[in-house]
Amino acid sequence: MPELFFQEQDQHVSVEAGVTILQAARDAGIIIESPCDGVGTCGKCQVQLKDAAPGSWKCEEAHYQLPAELQKQGYVLACHTKVYGDLTVVAPNTAKQNKTLKILSEGESFQYEIKPWFQKVYAAPKGKTFVLAGGKKVGEEDGDTVKQFYGLAIDIGTTTLVTALIDMNTGEEIDSLSALNPQSLHAQDVITRIHMASKPEGLALLYGAIRDEFNHTIQELCKRNHIESRYIYEVIYSGNTTMIHLACNVNPEPLGQFPYTAVIRGGNTVPADDLEISPYGDIYLPPIISAYVGPDITSGVLAAQLEKKKGTTLFIDIGTNGEMILAQDGKLAGTSTAAGPAFEGMNITCGMRAGNGALELYQIQPDGNPKTHVIGDVKASGICGSGLLDIIGELVRVGVIGKSGRLVKPDKGKYPDVLKAQMKEKDGKPVFYVAEEVYITQSDIRQVQLAKGAIRAGVEMLMSALGVEAEHVDCVEIAGSFGYHLRESSLIDQGMLPEAFRGKVKFVGNTSKSGAKAFLLNQEVRTYMENLVDEIKDVELSQDPKFQDVFVKALTF
């Protein structure tokens, strides 16, 4: 049998001849980032083969083609390279890379009474502490453990995870930890993840990855704060509908097929058998609005108190699954659009997640010179989502990118000379350099066009469903960790949001987590939100014949 040596991980793996490097790595528990689930479209699973003997591997043709210079250096796509002999593989150590991710954990919230579903009561005569859930006894502990009473609020994003440890006696957030959602290393966007998890082995891989990350985070939070995990009694899962299915080890296949139905509806508790918490503990799932408007938005509606606001408020969680709610004097409607992974830096030539080396801010000053900021204050090695939207917005504003999305050649452009010098050719195609070795291509711009067009079309269709004109929207609330790092000008300059929204945009942070915290600490909001969700109008875009026309129109800058 051929043997692979993964150099960075210092691990030898014996494999069957003909297996791909990606599959061999997965079988060995080695993570090679493959956001497209190995179909060969993203190009992110690049690995380097060292001193490979002729005939020891074969690379099948993929949609994504590696640049010629990388191929000369021995780089291949792990997903399309089959093994036939011994190989030394240099694959990035993903565990090391993920520690620098920049993830927001705070979000807007409201005042509420501390009245959790779980309670603890000390019975002095018996020397026991009774653990209650919904007023019913579910267990008992020796001694007085009333003060040791904790819960977790977890925001399960498509790309990131944020876990907050809460004191359920006081409501205090003791600590929080952020991490990459390990599922994104195997399948980046929601649709790809549904497809992967529709197969038993795919669901097992995705569920196992997130379960292990949850337990690692729980142990780390407990260690940092000197508490025992057996005193954590309830966990709230807040994420989009697909993420909730995967976190509960439920096949999400019905979400990807018409009529797009959710197996899980939320508004209930499920056993927490696979989580390292109290043996009496459970998981609460907030109510689901629709197949593609999930508990993260339910939590957002709760945290922002949208149904209680006067006038018209548009609430948007910008990300791979662009979910949004329009609230008009207490009347709510919701929808979602498949924006894709471009906002996370995926499918972008120099794209990367928001870690050290990622260009996250790009502003062109009056003299034409760009003002930039790179996470970690180091040399730029790539572009994260917020930086990408900044770049596109600014280049559209000054005319480097035309309305159609084409890069305007220097001899035809009216933009500053300093920017014309950044327009160069690479592999015979025009590219625009935003840093010494970091650039955007015409294909990158197209990816952003598709993503921003989807968001804008969703906004237009949602407003149309309620008969609301853009000029009559009083406030636009941008939620989520990714959204918090955006700028109003970059969103409007490139046309993701209408010009009429200028001056009305507010960034409310991680309301998925802050809403989850409210679900944890006040059992009464659960019934309230379960009833409210039933009243939210679901605007299904895929069945509306007007959507395609609106989407095409929204592609222009």
Side-chain angles (χ1 to χ4, degrees), residues 431-464:
V431 299
F432 184 88
Y433 277 81
V434 295
E436 184 179 345
E437 298 176 4
V438 180
Y439 55 88
I440 62 166
T441 69
Q442 194 64 64
S443 176
D444 297 336
I445 297 170
R446 181 61 175 170
Q447 291 295 322
V448 174
Q449 276 186 287
L450 294 171
K452 77 96 178 176
I455 296 291
R456 177 61 181 269
V459 169
E460 296 290 345
M461 295 293 289
L462 190 55
M463 291 192 299
S464 176

Side-chain angles (χ1 to χ4, degrees), residues 417-437:
D417 290 343
V418 66
L419 297 178
K420 290 180 179 180
Q422 300 305 109
M423 187 79 77
K424 302 176 183 179
E425 281 201 356
K426 191 172 183 64
D427 297 328
K429 297 179 180 180
V431 299
F432 184 88
Y433 277 81
V434 295
E436 184 179 345
E437 298 176 4

Side-chain angles (χ1 to χ4, degrees), residues 120-138:
K120 295 184 74 173
V121 179
Y122 179 55
K126 295 185 176 182
K128 300 280 188 180
T129 296
F130 297 141
V131 180
L132 311 176
K136 297 180 180 179
K137 178 183 172 183
V138 294

Side-chain angles (χ1 to χ4, degrees), residues 21 45-52 57 59 66-78 81 87-90:
I21 294 176
C45 66
Q46 299 174 23
V47 297
Q48 186 180 29
L49 305 182
K50 299 188 72 174
D51 303 323
W57 60 278
C59 191
L66 284 171
E69 60 266 30
L70 287 181
Q71 294 184 42
K72 291 178 181 178
Q73 296 171 37
Y75 282 89
V76 297
L77 295 182
T81 303
L87 290 172
T88 295
V89 181
V90 182

Side-chain angles (χ1 to χ4, degrees), residues 4-13 25 29-32 46-50 75 87-97:
L4 294 181
F5 173 56
F6 289 94
Q7 183 172 287
E8 290 295 305
Q9 294 77 15
D10 192 24
Q11 189 169 342
H12 292 268
V13 180
I30 296 170
I31 297 175
I32 295 178
Q46 299 174 23
V47 297
Q48 186 180 29
L49 305 182
K50 299 188 72 174
Y75 282 89
L87 290 172
T88 295
V89 181
V90 182
N93 193 328
T94 306
K96 294 179 180 178
Q97 294 178 338

Side-chain angles (χ1 to χ4, degrees), residues 43 84 108 134 168 258 260 293 379 383 386 471 483 526:
Y84 293 99
E108 183 180 279
M168 291 208 285
F258 184 80
Y260 312 111
V293 184
K379 180 181 177 181
I383 307 167
S386 61
E471 292 76 13
R526 301 183 182 188

